[in-house]
Amino acid sequence: MTEVRVDTGSKATAVIGIGMNLAFDFAQYADLHRKATSLNSGTGTNVGMEAAANSILYHFDKAYHESLNNPDNPRPWLNVVDTIGERITITDGPEEYSGIAKGISEGGELIVLRDDGREIHVGSGEITSISD
């Protein structure tokens, strides 16, 4: 989840929420093994919380400074978003709907063309790619 605010002095603030499983116990939640993984399981190592947080902050800071130094491509991370163009299902609490991921808004929301023809901006929810 990302939220961006601009105050009257044109200063922008971004709040970025990240959910990450470090050491998920799949034995307790066997039904999630196809939808979820953990950093430790994916890397085969024991990654601690502090090391994971430090790595995330380092890479965010690096990407931020790279975008500042490249005015021709201020959003280079869009080149690696693999959801764009994919058919997806979004679950937001009890509501579930499907559509095509079209892009990322200036505010960081996923732009989705729903099956009913409406274009929406999704700021949170569980997104699942649908294999055809």
Side-chain angles (χ1 to χ4, degrees), residues 3 17 32 44 50-51 62 73-74 89 104 112 114 117-118 120 122 125:
E3 181 178 331
L32 293 179
E50 186 175 333
K62 181 179 175 188
N73 189 10
T89 295
I104 306 291
V112 177
R114 287 177 48 146
R118 292 186 349 197
I120 60 170
V122 179

Side-chain angles (χ1 to χ4, degrees), residues 3 8 11-12 14 22 28 32 35 48 54-55 61-62 66 72 90 100-101 103 114-117 121-122 128 132:
E3 181 178 331
T8 55
K11 184 174 183 178
L22 290 178
Q28 292 182 8
L32 293 179
K35 296 197 308 187
N54 284 338
S55 180
D61 188 60
K62 181 179 175 188
E66 286 174 359
D72 294 331
I90 299 152
I100 304 294
R114 287 177 48 146
D115 289 343
D116 64 9
H121 291 209
V122 179
T128 307
D132 292 329

Side-chain angles (χ1 to χ4, degrees), residues 44-92:
T45 62
N46 186 13
V47 179
M49 189 180 333
E50 186 175 333
N54 284 338
S55 180
I56 289 169
L57 292 173
Y58 169 79
H59 286 91
F60 264 109
D61 188 60
K62 181 179 175 188
Y64 171 70
H65 287 288
E66 286 174 359
S67 71
L68 289 178
N69 295 324
N70 188 357
D72 294 331
N73 189 10
R75 296 172 22 158
W77 46 269
L78 282 177
N79 298 329
V80 296
V81 176
D82 61 1
T83 308
I84 307 305
E86 294 293 319
R87 181 155 177 72
I88 59 172
T89 295
I90 299 152
T91 305
D92 186 10

